[in-house]
Structures are given as structure tokens and as C-alpha cells.
Amino acid sequence: MNKAEQIRELARLHKDQLPLNFQFMEIIELEAERKKLTYTGKSLLSARHPFHIQVKKPCKALIRIL
Amino acid sequence: MTYFKLFTNCIVSKGIARSLICDLQRQSSTLIPNDLVAIITELDSATSVEDLFRQYGAENRETISEYLAYLTENEYGFYCESLEEFNRFPPMSTAFSGSGKITNAVIEVSEDMERNLGTILEQLNGLRCTSLVLMFYRPMDIDGLQSVLERFDGTEISSVEIVTAYHEAVGADFLKNLNARLTPLTSILFYNAPFDRTDPWDRNIYFDVRFSRSNIHSFKHCGIVSAAYFDTNFPKVLEAMNHNSCLHKKIGIDIHGNIKNCPAMETSFGNIRETKLAEALEHPGFKQYWGLTKDDIAVCRDCEYRYICTDCRAYTGRTHIDTGGLDTSKPLKCGYDPYTNEWAEWSVHPLRQEAIRYYGLEELVRNNE
């Protein structure tokens, strides 16, 4: 098992303990991420973690100007 | 005996004249009469349906039956065949928790601050901030916007909203170029546009695009309370039940670099040039409004919409101060009256004129007329 696979396995095993924003994230390989972006919508790689950040609107209006 | 249980993800918010039932799972809220709330409360305390009918008498039997039918048809609740079955469904915890020290930030970006935006973003990322609003009170060309958005590479910020002035180059190609690179941009508002229009996020452009004729020249425009800003979802409602629905875990940086709870608030906790955001956060006064819920605020505490609405502490009616010195007045820009259930234009209310003058909102009010 290479390092990337080890990290992925660890993240998968401890998914419930990850911060809330990461719990819904799919853990995928970097190369697969690039291919997936074309059809899954919008997701971003985090420099610090081997899984991607789902871009999503906040749960409430942060400013109310109009 | 038969019992009736409301689904635990359905929360009743009782107002003085009527109430709201919030289905947090389906993300919808519906107005209900307070009589129905009395029935729900009774049933929720393990009173059997048979006992309830007896208690209210034959003359109310038909009404109660209609209420129960309404609740079951709309899937707000279900019948239990025994008390044992009823007790198998404990109430849902309404506690709110999150990992970030800050969840959202609003920054008025001056040209000077734009150069140091990377440092600010690094600090926000360290505080685990996930949502950000950037206000540019000027037009931004495509290179400028792309350069700003590139700075989010490597951060864990999952939503960036941008407010900027409309200019002639803004069009389909401009948006296509902005969309070409994947960034956390979720919405962009062009003010001073020649038209009003909203193009929601779709499969071609991965962010909401809004155009508005309004001239957004300062943060004085913020704080509007309207049904358009109501949200029914788990994190939003649970946060509102436990904390201030606007300022909790929010950090604001105004156009001069002052670190505040919100750019429109008066109190500053240091300037971004010499104070780290984490240091400002540790200031004893920074979190003073975080625990102020709508249940603590005058008028709002009687409002059925209080958990799906968003508060404003920057602009209030300036009528109430609590024993700790916190402003507990109703938001100034709310035109809803929970006692009559009517909406009215807030800016013409005679009792608000003094507060309008205090905040220097006269020009804004005149322009909106």
C-alpha cells in the first residue's frame, strides 16, 4: 500500500471523526478528481488533505443588502 | 390508547399571534394557528389522542380531527399504538456545534487591503472559516477578480461571495472566463447595473450571478430583514436557537481594516495592520453578542419567524438595552409586526426616524423611495 492509499484508508476509517465540513466529502485520488470535475459540479482540492472540498453556499444569508 | 408524535426534525416556533412549523429535513416552514400548537404541546407530553378528545369536549372533536389529519397528511407527525412505542422516539437534540473558531467573514476590500488579502485569507483559514463575503466598492476587471480568487488555492474556504460594481465588460464572456478556473466562488453581485436580474447557479456557470440597479456604496445597505432571507435548514435553525443568527462566529473587516463583529458595527477590536484576527477574537468583548438569541430580543421574541430569520445588531431600533449593556432592540430594517402579522415599510415608521438619523441612513432611505 503506497502512502496515498494509506492516507485514504485512514481518512475512510476515521471519516466520522473528521470536522463536519469534511464528513460529506468523497475521498478520491488526485487524478480521479481532475477527471471528475467535469461532471460532478464544483469541488476543489485542498492542499492539506487528500480529498476535495465541496463548494457550497452558506446555510444562511451572510449579508442582506438588497 | 393512541398517541401522536411530531417528527423530531419538525420544530414548532410559537409566535404571539400565530406559529410556524419548520420541517428541517425538507427545508420548509409553514404557518399554523396557535390552537394547533396547544394541541401539539399536549400530545407531545404523552397525552393520548382519546384523552385529548375527552379534554376538549365533543364540540371541538371535528376541529382536532382536522388538525391531526393536517399533521399526518403533511407528514409532520405519526400515530403510535402505545405509550411504549411513543417513548421510543426521544426528542432531537437542538444543540449547535461546529469545529471552526469562525465560520464566516465579511470583508470590505479597499485597494490597499487587496494587496494583503493573502495574509488575511491565511488567518481566516487558520480559524477554520468556511464562508466569506468580499465587498469591492469599485468595478473589478476579469484579471483583478481572477487574481483575488487565485488566492483561495490551498485554503479550505468552501464559499466566496463577491459584491462589485457593474461595468460594460461584464457579460457572457466575462462570466465564462470567471468560470473557467475552479474556485470557491458561489455568488457574484454586480450593483449599479442597468437592470435587475438573477441567474442561478447552473451546469454552465458554477455560481449565482445577480445584477442590481442599486448603488451599494457602503455596508449601510446591509441588515435588511425580509422573507426573502428566511432559511429553514438544520445548521441555520439550530444556530439561531442557541446563538445570535447573524454575529455568531462571524468576523468583519471594514474598509479601513478595522476588525469588528460586522463591518457596520461601531466597536473595533484592532486593525488588520497590527492585530491578528485570532488576537481580536480573544478580546473579551468580541463574543459578547454571540449568545444573544432572538428569544432575548424585544419584539423578535414574540415572532414566529425568529429561528428562520437572520438578526442584525448593527442597525437596531435603539429602544432596549439589557442589564449587561447589550442592545436587545428589534432590528431597525425589519418591517414585520408579529402582533398583527403584517409587513410594512420600516423606513417610514415614525418611531424609527430617530434611529435612522443616528445611523446616518437618511440618504439611503431617500434613494430607496
Side-chain angles (χ1 to χ4, degrees):
Chain A
M1 195 183 278
N2 64 32
K3 197 172 178 186
E5 285 169 339
Q6 283 174 14
I7 293 170
R8 204 167 59 249
E9 189 56 25
L10 265 174
R12 200 191 314 278
L13 286 172
H14 301 287
K15 201 175 178 186
D16 292 344
Q17 294 163 32
L18 291 170
L20 194 65
N21 289 335
F22 288 97
Q23 286 181 14
F24 307 101
M25 292 171 195
E26 198 180 344
I27 300 155
I28 50 171
E29 285 181 90
L30 304 191
E31 199 51 43
E33 161 73 5
R34 289 189 194 101
K35 287 176 189 161
K36 258 190 153 183
L37 287 176
T38 54
Y39 61 88
T40 55
K42 194 165 163 180
S43 56
L44 301 167
L45 279 172
S46 163
R48 291 201 282 175
H49 301 283
F51 37 82
H52 64 172
I53 291 171
Q54 189 66 48
V55 176
K56 58 186 179 197
K57 295 176 199 172
C59 64
K60 63 180 181 186
L62 303 182
I63 54 165
R64 297 169 303 284
I65 54 176
L66 291 179
Chain B
M1 293 285 232
T2 314
Y3 296 85
F4 189 87
K5 191 95 190 168
L6 209 63
F7 285 112
T8 52
N9 58 288
C10 295
I11 286 176
V12 174
S13 166
K14 192 172 183 300
I16 196 137
R18 63 181 179 183
S19 296
L20 198 70
I21 186 162
C22 308
D23 184 334
L24 300 183
Q25 192 169 351
R26 290 189 168 134
Q27 306 198 354
S28 65
S29 291
T30 312
L31 291 160
I32 53 171
N34 278 353
D35 288 349
L36 176 51
V37 179
I39 302 285
I40 291 171
T41 309
E42 198 70 51
L43 290 166
D44 221 35
S45 63
T47 302
S48 70
V49 174
E50 293 82 356
D51 282 345
L52 190 80
F53 280 135
R54 240 188 320 272
Q55 203 176 307
Y56 278 83
E59 66 273 26
N60 292 310
R61 194 178 179 91
E62 196 183 337
T63 310
I64 294 173
S65 297
E66 277 177 17
Y67 279 158
L68 290 173
Y70 171 81
L71 292 172
T72 46
E73 277 164 20
N74 289 284
E75 297 184 308
Y76 289 127
F78 60 98
Y79 287 101
C80 298
E81 296 305 321
S82 66
L83 189 59
E84 189 192 354
E85 189 186 345
F86 180 90
N87 288 330
R88 278 188 203 136
F89 301 95
M92 180 187 76
S93 165
T94 53
F96 178 82
S97 63
S99 60
K101 287 186 176 173
I102 285 291
T103 57
N104 66 101
V106 180
I107 307 177
E108 293 183 299
V109 191
S110 64
E111 287 182 44
D112 180 41
M113 203 191 298
E114 199 182 321
R115 287 189 282 277
N116 302 318
L117 202 55
T119 320
I120 299 172
L121 295 183
E122 201 176 295
Q123 291 182 52
L124 286 172
N125 196 45
L127 295 168
R128 311 292 300 275
C129 176
T130 53
S131 304
L132 184 63
V133 179
L134 299 176
M135 312 274 298
F136 296 94
Y137 301 123
R138 57 187 181 279
M140 296 286 286
D141 63 19
I142 189 70
D143 292 338
L145 281 175
Q146 280 173 337
S147 156
V148 165
L149 290 167
E150 273 170 18
R151 299 181 196 210
F152 288 88
D153 287 356
T155 73
E156 282 147 38
I157 291 170
S158 58
S159 168
V160 179
E161 298 172 60
I162 287 179
V163 177
T164 181
Y166 177 87
H167 55 93
E168 282 187 353
V170 174
D173 286 344
F174 186 96
L175 296 171
K176 207 174 152 190
N177 285 337
L178 201 55
N179 195 52
R181 191 171 186 280
L182 285 159
T183 66
L185 183 65
T186 53
S187 120
I188 186 160
L189 164 65
F190 295 102
Y191 63 84
N192 257 351
F195 49 87
D196 293 306
R197 198 177 80 205
T198 299
D199 299 334
W201 181 330
D202 62 21
R203 290 193 70 82
N204 298 315
I205 299 287
Y206 296 143
F207 44 83
D208 293 341
V209 184
R210 286 188 296 165
F211 299 91
S212 170
R213 291 174 199 269
S214 300
N215 180 18
I216 313 290
H217 52 78
S218 77
F219 212 70
K220 285 185 177 176
H221 290 260
C222 195
I224 294 169
V225 174
S226 96
Y229 291 119
F230 289 169
D231 285 298
T232 305
N233 60 61
F234 270 103
K236 196 263 166 280
V237 171
L238 296 188
E239 185 176 39
M241 290 174 85
N242 293 279
H243 303 283
N244 189 266
S245 51
C246 183
L247 299 182
H248 180 237
K249 293 201 176 184
K250 174 178 252 143
I251 204 159
I253 303 175
D254 75 8
I255 196 80
H256 306 295
N258 296 316
I259 306 166
K260 299 176 170 181
N261 289 132
C262 143
M265 290 191 78
E266 288 174 8
T267 312
S268 167
F269 300 94
N271 192 286
I272 197 69
R273 283 189 284 271
E274 61 260 2
T275 309
K276 297 270 180 221
L277 295 179
E279 290 166 6
L281 204 56
E282 293 309 313
H283 191 286
F286 194 89
K287 298 175 185 171
Q288 60 178 345
Y289 277 107
W290 284 19
L292 193 79
T293 70
K294 286 281 195 184
D295 293 319
D296 304 315
I297 294 169
V299 186
C300 294
R301 68 168 70 98
D302 293 326
C303 181
E304 63 275 20
Y305 295 123
R306 64 191 179 279
Y307 300 133
I308 61 168
C309 174
T310 309
D311 190 35
C312 177
R313 289 299 92 201
Y315 302 114
T316 71
R318 294 176 50 78
T319 50
H320 293 71
I321 300 282
D322 76 1
T323 49
L326 297 183
D327 184 347
T328 55
S329 319
K330 178 187 173 179
L332 178 65
K333 299 182 187 179
C334 174
Y336 184 66
D337 183 342
Y339 307 102
T340 61
N341 302 139
E342 285 174 351
W343 288 89
E345 175 53 47
W346 64 270
S347 60
V348 295
H349 195 293
L351 296 178
R352 310 255 176 115
Q353 300 312 308
E354 198 181 319
I356 288 171
R357 278 193 294 277
Y358 174 83
Y359 293 117
L361 298 173
E362 300 97 320
E363 190 192 337
L364 187 142
V365 167
R366 263 197 307 276
N367 291 341
N368 285 347
E369 278 170 2

